[in-house]
Amino acid sequence: MTKAKKPVLMKPVNLFLDLLNNERTAGLLLVICTAISLWLTNSPAGPEYVAFWDQQFASHSVTHWINDGLMAIFFLMIGLELEREVYIGELSNMKKAALPVIAAFGGMLVPAGIHLLFNHGTPTQAGAGIPMATDIAFAVGVMSLLGDRVPTSLKVFLTTLAIADDLGAVLVIAFFYTSELSLDNLLIGMAFLAVLWGGNRLGVRNPWFYAVFGIAGMWTAFLLSGIHATIAGV
């Protein structure tokens, strides 16, 4: 009895799935997209390219939707990975968990201090929060390119440091760079957060419960409150 041949079309599909599941793919795409973006920005098409990201969609720019929408999901996924390490991984030991957090704290204060040193008393003094954040996407992306050559402990350390640094920077943005604050929407967001916490404590495992109350509820409320909506992902 002859073996049935797999359709030829399945080979490209399987190749695509293999690439998608390979941790190096995300890092490679990040580097390629960054290079293309830098090239376009500095090319004659630069003004049109920048205008595309600035165009308004539902009262917000495309850039705003990426920063407050997709980045919230990114923070959520990275946070889940970090939570797993806290419970059963490299960060289950308190001493190991404290080290990258302390390093992140220093990584926030030192750049902010350097900025204030050179900009004290000038109109640009208020920009001290800008150099505080580590670009977590690039930190994770570069490590993924190295694959198994990077020890798991180092990956966890750098990822935790980048996350703690970014979370701290997001909180600084929320508390010191929010121009308009809607307390009503903020309280509504906190109420949805309480519902999500309660569902977790009661053992609710349906993803739709967290999607509806998390996205349609908490994330939307935080977005309308004026606080950086990535706080919802945090």
Side-chain angles (χ1 to χ4, degrees), residues 23-24 26-28 30-31 34 71 74-75 78 104 132-147 150-152 154-166:
E23 64 174 5
R24 292 188 180 90
L28 189 60
L30 182 65
V31 172
T34 301
M71 285 304 294
F74 177 76
F75 269 110
I78 290 294
M132 292 177 70
T134 301
D135 198 316
I136 181 175
F138 272 93
V140 175
V142 170
M143 282 192 297
S144 68
L145 285 175
L146 297 175
V150 179
T152 302
L154 179 59
K155 286 183 180 179
V156 173
F157 174 83
L158 291 177
T159 303
T160 307
L161 188 152
I163 290 171
D165 193 302
D166 266 12

Side-chain angles (χ1 to χ4, degrees), residues 2 4 72 128 142 174 228:
T2 57
V142 170
H228 208 289

Side-chain angles (χ1 to χ4, degrees), residues 69-176:
L70 295 179
M71 285 304 294
I73 298 173
F74 177 76
F75 269 110
L76 172 63
M77 299 308 295
I78 290 294
L80 289 173
E81 288 291 327
L82 183 59
E83 183 184 34
R84 182 179 64 83
E85 293 297 332
V86 168
Y87 280 112
I88 59 172
E90 296 288 335
L91 300 177
S92 55
N93 183 299
M94 185 60 70
K95 290 182 179 179
K96 288 184 179 180
L99 181 60
V101 174
I102 294 171
F105 190 66
M108 292 172 61
L109 291 181
V110 172
I114 293 174
H115 177 93
L116 289 173
L117 180 66
F118 289 99
N119 295 273
H120 181 69
T122 68
T124 56
Q125 176 180 318
I130 296 173
M132 292 177 70
T134 301
D135 198 316
I136 181 175
F138 272 93
V140 175
V142 170
M143 282 192 297
S144 68
L145 285 175
L146 297 175
D148 296 334
R149 283 173 287 183
V150 179
T152 302
S153 56
L154 179 59
K155 286 183 180 179
V156 173
F157 174 83
L158 291 177
T159 303
T160 307
L161 188 152
I163 290 171
D165 193 302
D166 266 12
L167 297 189
V170 168
L171 290 175
V172 168
I173 292 171
F175 287 110
F176 298 103

Side-chain angles (χ1 to χ4, degrees), residues 38 55 72 89 114 135 149 168 171 181 185 195 199 209 218 232:
L38 287 170
Q55 64 180 328
I114 293 174
D135 198 316
R149 283 173 287 183
L171 290 175
L181 181 63
N185 284 304
V195 171
F209 172 83
M218 185 175 66

Side-chain angles (χ1 to χ4, degrees), residues 12 22 32 64-65 93 105 130 134 199 205 212 218-219 222:
N22 191 324
I32 292 173
H64 188 276
W65 284 114
N93 183 299
F105 190 66
I130 296 173
T134 301
R205 295 294 178 263
V212 171
M218 185 175 66
W219 178 83
F222 276 123

